[in-house]
Amino acid sequence: MVSRADIRRRIVILAAGDFPARGSEPERLLRAATRVIACDSAAAAYRRRFHRWPDVIVGDLDSFDAGGDADAQRRCVRVAEQETNDLDKALALCRADDPSGWRDATVIVGATGKREDHTIGNVYRALAAEVPVVSEHGTFWPVRGRLTVRTRKDAGISVFTPDPETRMTSRGLRWKLDGVRFTTPFCATLNRAASETVSVTSTRPAFVYVARDPAAVRAVVSLGSNVGNRAALLARARAALAKLPETRLLDASAVRETAPVDVPPEFAAQKFLNQAAVFETTLAPQAFARAMHAIEDRLGRVRTVRNGPRTIDLDLILFGDVRLETPELTLPHPRAHLRAFVREPLAELGIDLRALGPHAHNRKAEGRT
């Protein structure tokens, strides 16, 4: 079975380790979640950050007291038995709700930090459940037969398995796993990616830790098309962006059809398909923008009529915390907050343009048209 490391996950289990830092990938996943299941005391930390209760609060609830809050009480699922910990209880809840598809929808955050023994226990519980763990420093990906992950060349990679009978093969690692005897769970740590795509196959349960590059930033792109095979053009553009050097796809919103905005009257009936996508990259913003425009050109975009029909329209909305105003590129995008076809897909990805503040939207230029 092939599992990809760039897949949408909308059920987020929040463990009671260190709460995700502001602006981190785990925090974005929490914001993008359709359902947040908090383990016991993590519920209070979630409420402090987001000013609302998580959808479910699960555990023996020895560290959480809803008090007289009726809303919190309704969300509590108390499991009194002490044979499993709160993360086990949350995983069991996901499994019971969707026995066939829960693994592909679920990710764990907040599982690391604080007590080191809890971190180790949480990661191994995630391995048994075949669910990824995302931290601020990297991701633990379960290997379900085969794992293929796009990363950066020379990224830190560690492989763990608790079963000494495990046999693995690999591609894209500096030190191959073929023929390795796993005499200890940690004998395949401290490896490196030899290419931007790494594949690992395993005969027994294992996980691959992929370290995040501290220099990488999130590039947020709005995609649109209202000419030709619109859905195929969006997919081709998204794939082309994900294949840029030092770049990988983190997440993409659903595709939605929208009415054109600010177009000449003769084109008002040509509806768009729109989508937003989040990439992680170490490219400079100008290099990313130039590559983005080159993809538009390759996919047949012409610019003879301002705001006219287009095979593909790619707008760079955010690039980490970069603020930039040049004739070629303005960041953040100066009018994105005014456009529902941008705001709504971004909200689905856990990105709220209002959080940027009004000074982010007073630009005069917005880049190439």
Side-chain angles (χ1 to χ4, degrees):
M1 180 176 182
V2 177
S3 57
R4 295 188 305 110
D6 297 323
I7 53 182
R8 298 174 65 210
R9 296 175 185 270
R10 291 292 178 260
I11 301 170
V12 179
I13 297 176
L14 174 63
D18 286 342
F19 197 87
R22 294 184 184 277
S24 67
E25 181 60 12
E27 189 201 46
R28 187 191 68 79
L29 288 169
L30 280 173
R31 292 183 181 277
T34 56
R35 192 178 193 211
V36 174
I37 302 174
C39 297
D40 211 321
S41 61
Y46 180 90
R47 191 171 191 267
R48 285 194 296 271
R49 176 67 57 85
F50 298 114
H51 309 293
R52 62 181 183 272
W53 291 114
D55 300 286
V56 182
I57 305 164
V58 66
D60 55 18
L61 303 185
D62 61 348
S63 302
F64 177 75
D65 182 7
D69 192 319
D71 185 28
Q73 292 172 349
R74 282 193 298 269
R75 298 166 189 265
C76 289
V77 177
R78 185 173 182 271
V79 184
E81 56 86 7
Q82 296 294 312
E83 297 301 314
T84 60
N85 77 352
D86 294 333
L87 180 56
D88 285 318
K89 294 173 173 65
L91 289 164
L93 184 65
C94 292
R95 187 184 302 113
D97 287 347
D98 183 8
S100 62
W102 71 280
R103 287 185 177 90
D104 288 333
T106 305
V107 66
I108 300 168
V109 303
T112 60
K114 294 185 178 176
R115 284 180 54 173
E116 288 85 353
D117 55 340
H118 286 187
T119 294
I120 294 170
N122 286 339
V123 170
Y124 273 92
R125 283 178 169 86
L127 168 63
E130 299 182 349
V131 173
V133 173
V134 178
S135 77
E136 291 162 31
H137 305 290
T139 301
F140 294 91
W141 291 104
V143 184
R144 293 159 61 184
R146 183 182 180 189
L147 172 77
T148 299
V149 58
R150 182 170 170 82
T151 183
R152 71 189 191 283
K153 189 174 181 180
D154 209 41
I157 308 281
S158 287
V159 181
F160 299 84
T161 178
D163 191 336
E165 297 301 316
T166 300
R167 296 294 178 266
M168 292 192 191
T169 61
S170 65
R171 299 181 110 185
L173 286 178
R174 183 178 297 175
W175 297 285
K176 293 184 177 181
L177 302 176
D178 308 47
V180 171
R181 296 189 64 84
F182 291 88
T183 53
T184 66
F186 51 83
C187 71
T189 60
L190 306 181
N191 210 323
R192 292 280 176 182
S195 69
E196 292 187 345
T197 300
V198 172
S199 294
V200 174
T201 63
S202 179
T203 60
R204 302 288 176 89
F207 56 79
V208 176
Y209 177 79
V210 182
R212 180 166 291 114
D213 186 345
V217 300
R218 288 204 301 259
V220 180
V221 178
S222 174
L223 303 88
S225 173
N226 72 338
V227 174
N229 188 334
R230 300 173 297 167
L233 285 161
L234 288 182
R236 288 173 63 189
R238 191 176 62 248
L241 286 165
K243 290 179 181 177
L244 292 176
E246 304 172 38
T247 301
R248 69 184 184 97
L249 176 68
L250 290 179
D251 207 352
S253 74
V255 175
R256 63 197 71 201
E257 189 171 62
T258 64
V261 176
D262 295 331
V263 302
E266 60 268 30
F267 304 123
Q270 292 183 243
K271 290 188 176 182
F272 275 85
L273 288 186
N274 287 103
Q275 185 179 38
V278 182
F279 301 87
E280 189 174 73
T281 185
T282 56
L283 295 175
Q286 295 88 345
F288 190 92
R290 287 193 297 270
M292 193 176 68
H293 296 143
I295 291 168
E296 289 180 322
D297 293 339
R298 288 203 305 272
L299 294 180
R301 174 162 180 182
V302 294
R303 296 175 172 81
T304 54
V305 178
R306 180 172 177 80
N307 292 340
R310 61 211 77 172
T311 55
I312 194 71
D313 184 16
L314 302 176
D315 285 318
L316 186 55
I317 307 300
L318 299 169
F319 198 90
D321 296 326
V322 172
R323 298 188 182 277
L324 183 68
E325 187 170 356
T326 71
E328 294 76 28
L329 180 64
T330 299
L331 291 168
H333 190 290
R335 289 203 285 272
H337 68 298
L338 301 174
R339 298 171 173 175
F341 65 83
V342 177
R343 285 197 319 270
E344 292 171 4
L346 288 185
E348 182 185 331
L349 299 179
I351 299 168
D352 185 357
L353 292 176
R354 294 174 300 180
L356 297 173
H359 60 284
H361 307 307
N362 61 3
R363 313 294 200 222
K364 296 180 180 179
E366 63 173 352
R368 183 175 172 183
T369 59

